[in-house]
Amino acid sequence: MLDVARAAGVSQKTVSRVVNRSPHVRPHVRDKVNQAIEQLGYRPNAAAQILRRERSHTIGVLALGTRFFGPSRRVFTLEHEARRLGYALALVSVPDLSARSVAEGIDTLLNRGVEGLVVEVPTHLIDIDPGQLAGLPVVTSAGWIAGVPRQAVVDIDQQEVCHELTMYLLQLGHNTVWHVAGPRDWDAAQKRLVGWRSALRDAGARVPRVLYGDWSAASGYEQGRKLAPRDDVTAIFAANDQMAMGILRAFHEAGREIPGDVSVVGFDDVPEAEFQMVPLTTVGVDADKAAQRILSELLRMIEGGEPPVEPVTLPGTELIVRKTTGPMRQTRTQARARHAQLANTSTPPR
């Protein structure tokens, strides 16, 4: 800053005012200072600003290390939205959900002076010591963390969305809908399963047994290989798009037509979904709106506002109908049964 002041022929205090966008600087002086900043490549010392202001303007994100689209997209959009609001984002990705990994991750974020924390892991699987957070505001998507006084839960209504998605398939004429769920211990997977099951029960349809994957296309492929030989499988809801893509591969290899023999839907609307050989019907989530609301709730608590007493439900989901879904047509078993019924009830010739 002293170098900039010398180059511009002004005081160090004037440079500080320009850097901090103070209105009390004459335009021609501001121009001189900005020219000197550009020529010298000056950047404000963030650490010094934190010490002076006693605020870091940094948001912490605790995430589970993952290669999957949904969690990665949330972190990406949070970073962009935080930067737009004038905040930096500090990310710690823990390798597992052990108490030690989680505690070390939170310590790392606290050492960076974060003012609030977004927890992007299945909260019912982690053990967080409320005393470690020392009153730090927290926002989660998976559920309340016991003992944390200042927290908000912000998420889409996954149960309702999946209820509607399953009803859509039933309304196409399918007798039931099979489900390939995410891992049993993931909150999002359980909510999607509950929504699917409740739709079948509300419609009086048979509830098939659940098959579980691990969010990967490989696990969807393995479960799809089990379903593909079954003639009674005409509709499948996969808990995410990657597993849906694996299912499509398995049915293609088995010679089953999509959507002629079976309709398949996913969840997340990954970029590749639209460009499969048969474009995938899926649920799109507005990640930008989600990031905006998450940070809005967090910043409100940072500024002293009270946390919401109920979970905050996000809008912005959309059923994106593409080519992997269509009306049910008769299965081979149904066609044979119908043919036999007609043969038994036909009028004998005179």
Side-chain angles (χ1 to χ4, degrees), residues 160-229:
E160 181 60 26
V161 171
C162 295
H163 184 284
E164 293 176 2
L165 173 61
T166 306
M167 291 301 298
Y168 159 72
L169 289 169
L170 293 174
Q171 288 162 5
L172 289 175
H174 298 281
N175 295 324
T176 191
V177 178
W178 290 71
H179 184 44
V180 177
R184 287 179 172 86
D185 53 3
W186 278 70
D187 180 82
Q190 288 305 307
K191 288 178 179 176
R192 294 173 194 183
L193 187 155
V194 169
W196 159 80
R197 181 179 285 143
S198 67
L200 294 180
R201 288 176 174 169
D202 288 349
R206 179 173 66 92
V207 181
R209 69 182 181 88
V210 180
L211 287 79
Y212 289 92
D214 62 7
W215 300 124
S216 69
S219 69
Y221 175 75
E222 288 304 314
Q223 299 299 358
R225 290 181 63 189
K226 297 175 184 176
L227 294 174

Side-chain angles (χ1 to χ4, degrees), residues 183-300:
R184 287 179 172 86
D185 53 3
W186 278 70
D187 180 82
Q190 288 305 307
K191 288 178 179 176
R192 294 173 194 183
L193 187 155
V194 169
W196 159 80
R197 181 179 285 143
S198 67
L200 294 180
R201 288 176 174 169
D202 288 349
R206 179 173 66 92
V207 181
R209 69 182 181 88
V210 180
L211 287 79
Y212 289 92
D214 62 7
W215 300 124
S216 69
S219 69
Y221 175 75
E222 288 304 314
Q223 299 299 358
R225 290 181 63 189
K226 297 175 184 176
L227 294 174
R230 298 191 56 142
D231 199 37
D232 60 335
V233 176
T234 67
I236 303 171
F237 162 38
N240 76 338
D241 287 349
Q242 279 94 344
M243 292 194 298
M245 291 176 190
I247 291 167
L248 292 176
R249 169 70 180 272
F251 273 75
H252 173 74
E253 290 180 356
R256 302 287 300 277
E257 293 182 14
I258 305 292
D261 293 330
V262 62
S263 290
V264 178
V265 297
F267 198 105
D268 280 334
D269 190 29
V270 303
E272 299 83 4
E274 187 178 1
F275 300 99
Q276 299 299 295
M277 291 298 292
V278 184
L280 178 65
T281 295
T282 184
V283 172
V285 179
D286 192 324
D288 291 334
K289 284 186 178 178
Q292 289 166 9
R293 188 58 187 271
I294 287 169
L295 290 182
S296 173
E297 292 295 332
L298 189 60
L299 296 182
R300 189 170 61 80

Side-chain angles (χ1 to χ4, degrees), residues 13-343:
K13 183 177 289 187
T14 298
V15 176
S16 178
R17 287 174 178 163
V18 172
V19 169
N20 291 295
R21 296 180 173 84
S22 170
H24 306 298
V25 181
R26 286 175 290 180
H28 76 279
V29 174
R30 188 184 302 276
D31 290 342
K32 285 172 58 179
V33 172
N34 283 329
Q35 287 175 10
I37 286 173
E38 186 174 350
Q39 290 170 0
L40 297 173
Y42 168 74
R43 294 292 182 271
N45 187 316
Q49 289 181 331
I50 290 171
L51 289 172
R52 185 174 70 253
R53 298 173 183 171
E54 297 184 347
R55 287 197 60 178
S56 68
H57 280 83
T58 301
I59 301 298
V61 175
L62 182 73
L64 178 64
T66 178
R67 65 188 184 277
F68 299 125
F69 178 77
S72 299
R73 178 174 61 174
R74 282 194 294 273
V75 172
F76 177 79
T77 52
L78 281 169
E79 193 276 333
H80 275 256
E81 180 63 12
R83 185 149 40 89
R84 188 184 71 83
L85 295 171
Y87 281 76
L89 187 141
L91 169 67
V92 168
S93 178
V94 295
D96 56 64
L97 298 178
S98 65
R100 180 176 178 178
S101 290
V102 171
E104 288 177 351
I106 292 174
D107 272 342
T108 300
L109 292 170
L110 293 177
N111 289 337
R112 295 188 63 177
V114 298
E115 298 185 23
L117 181 63
V118 179
V119 177
E120 279 290 331
V121 298
T123 51
H124 66 289
L125 296 179
I126 61 176
D127 183 15
I128 292 180
D129 177 8
Q132 185 184 20
L133 298 175
L136 193 73
V138 176
V139 174
T140 77
S141 61
W144 304 106
I145 301 174
V148 176
R150 298 181 59 73
Q151 64 174 311
V153 177
V154 181
D155 196 12
I156 62 172
D157 189 339
Q158 304 216 39
Q159 292 185 26
E160 181 60 26
V161 171
C162 295
H163 184 284
E164 293 176 2
L165 173 61
T166 306
M167 291 301 298
Y168 159 72
L169 289 169
L170 293 174
Q171 288 162 5
L172 289 175
H174 298 281
N175 295 324
T176 191
V177 178
W178 290 71
H179 184 44
V180 177
R184 287 179 172 86
D185 53 3
W186 278 70
D187 180 82
Q190 288 305 307
K191 288 178 179 176
R192 294 173 194 183
L193 187 155
V194 169
W196 159 80
R197 181 179 285 143
S198 67
L200 294 180
R201 288 176 174 169
D202 288 349
R206 179 173 66 92
V207 181
R209 69 182 181 88
V210 180
L211 287 79
Y212 289 92
D214 62 7
W215 300 124
S216 69
S219 69
Y221 175 75
E222 288 304 314
Q223 299 299 358
R225 290 181 63 189
K226 297 175 184 176
L227 294 174
R230 298 191 56 142
D231 199 37
D232 60 335
V233 176
T234 67
I236 303 171
F237 162 38
N240 76 338
D241 287 349
Q242 279 94 344
M243 292 194 298
M245 291 176 190
I247 291 167
L248 292 176
R249 169 70 180 272
F251 273 75
H252 173 74
E253 290 180 356
R256 302 287 300 277
E257 293 182 14
I258 305 292
D261 293 330
V262 62
S263 290
V264 178
V265 297
F267 198 105
D268 280 334
D269 190 29
V270 303
E272 299 83 4
E274 187 178 1
F275 300 99
Q276 299 299 295
M277 291 298 292
V278 184
L280 178 65
T281 295
T282 184
V283 172
V285 179
D286 192 324
D288 291 334
K289 284 186 178 178
Q292 289 166 9
R293 188 58 187 271
I294 287 169
L295 290 182
S296 173
E297 292 295 332
L298 189 60
L299 296 182
R300 189 170 61 80
M301 290 189 288
I302 288 173
E303 298 296 336
E306 290 299 315
V309 296
E310 298 289 339
V312 176
T313 301
L314 294 169
T317 57
E318 177 188 7
L319 176 60
I320 302 171
V321 178
R322 296 194 178 109
K323 300 295 185 180
T324 58
T325 52
M328 189 191 80
R329 72 183 187 191
Q330 280 191 333
T331 64
R332 291 184 292 273
T333 301
Q334 291 169 331
R336 286 195 295 269
R338 178 64 175 163
H339 179 76
Q341 182 183 22
L342 290 174

Side-chain angles (χ1 to χ4, degrees), residues 338-350:
R338 178 64 175 163
H339 179 76
Q341 182 183 22
L342 290 174
N344 290 333
T345 58
S346 59
T347 303
R350 294 180 181 180

